[in-house]
């Protein structure tokens, strides 16, 4: 199982659900590029989220539309539609630690940006990496090895001197 959170800023404009070109590029690099690592794809769960601005009912629909937009893009890239489930959470699951008390609307929208996101969870079996042995990594030919000169005196273990002759 692999969880990938895609921030809304590059994916969508504020209060929109149409994917921006930067959003498509983020999906390509964060999800599409990693799918070959999944041997048996079981499920792709796409969950849309919004910030707290607006009613729960409005944000619920917006989060569902954002999830659907990501699903449609994944399908256009070859992910089977029957393997994708979408879910909208509205404003019910803000990112922990994001505290915004700005009075200015533009500043508040900017501060709440981390809450406007899409999470993609990919479930399936990971591709098993083939273990390579040292021989497979660096095959060597015995013919290329330098042949050692035979020792003049095989009884001398440290050097190639001839201990039988005097110096």
């Amino acid at each position: 199982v692999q969880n990938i959170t895609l921030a809304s800023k590059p994916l969508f404009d504020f209060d929109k659900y149409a994917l921006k070109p930067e959003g498509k590029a983020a999906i390509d690099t964060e999800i599409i590029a990693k799918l070959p690592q999944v041997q048996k794809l079981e499920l792709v769960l796409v969950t849309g989220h919004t910030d707290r601005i607006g009613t729960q009912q409005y944000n619920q629909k917006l989060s569902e539309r954002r999830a659907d937009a990501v699903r449609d893009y994944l399908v256009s890239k070859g992910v089977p539609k029957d393997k994708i489930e979408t879910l909208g959470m509205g404003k019910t699951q803000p990112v922990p630690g994001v505290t915004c008390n700005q009075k200015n609307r533009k500043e508040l929208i900017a501060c709440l940006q981390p809450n406007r996101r899409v999470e993609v969870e990919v479930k399936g079996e990971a591709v098993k990496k083939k273990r390579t042995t040292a021989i497979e990594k660096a095959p060597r030919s015995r013919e290329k090895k330098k042949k050692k000169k035979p020792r003049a005196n095989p009884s001398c273990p440290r050097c190639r001197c001839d201990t039988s002759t005097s110096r």
Side-chain angles (χ1 to χ4, degrees):
V1 176
Q2 186 172 12
N3 272 338
I4 302 164
T5 300
L6 299 168
S8 182
K9 188 175 183 181
L11 294 178
F12 310 101
D13 286 325
F14 173 73
D15 197 29
K16 304 287 185 213
Y17 61 89
L19 273 170
K20 294 169 56 173
E22 306 93 277
K24 292 177 181 180
I27 292 170
D28 289 343
T29 57
E30 296 296 320
I31 299 166
I32 301 297
K34 294 177 181 177
L35 283 178
Q37 299 171 5
V38 180
Q39 186 174 4
K40 184 181 174 193
L41 183 64
E42 295 171 15
L43 174 70
V44 178
L45 180 61
V46 181
T47 307
H49 299 269
T50 65
D51 60 30
R52 69 178 189 228
I53 300 172
T55 66
Q56 173 54 29
Q57 183 179 4
Y58 181 83
N59 282 333
Q60 179 63 36
K61 283 287 186 194
L62 180 59
S63 65
E64 290 170 6
R65 289 181 180 140
R66 286 179 174 171
D68 290 345
V70 171
R71 177 204 57 213
D72 294 344
Y73 184 72
L74 291 172
V75 169
S76 78
K77 289 294 189 168
V79 179
K81 190 173 184 174
D82 64 331
K83 300 283 185 184
I84 303 173
E85 288 185 25
T86 59
L87 185 62
M89 299 307 294
K91 59 182 179 180
T92 62
Q93 294 181 350
V95 174
V98 176
T99 308
C100 302
N101 298 317
Q102 288 80 356
K103 301 292 182 201
N104 179 296
R105 183 171 170 83
K106 281 188 175 183
E107 291 174 4
L108 181 61
I109 288 169
C111 180
L112 292 171
Q113 189 279 320
N115 290 323
R116 298 186 297 272
R117 66 195 189 280
V118 173
E119 295 175 345
V120 179
E121 187 176 323
V122 178
K123 295 181 180 181
E125 292 179 20
V127 173
K128 293 180 181 175
K129 293 183 180 179
K130 180 184 171 190
R131 289 187 177 183
T132 56
T133 63
I135 293 171
E136 289 175 313
K137 287 182 184 175
R140 291 188 174 177
S141 172
R142 294 183 191 272
E143 299 165 76
K144 290 183 182 179
K145 286 185 181 180
K146 287 185 177 181
K147 292 187 177 184
K148 293 181 181 178
K149 292 182 182 178
R151 290 191 178 131
N153 183 356
S155 63
C156 181
R158 285 181 267 147
C159 65
R160 300 189 188 286
C161 68
D162 187 359
T163 54
S164 61
T165 59
S166 60
R167 295 187 181 185

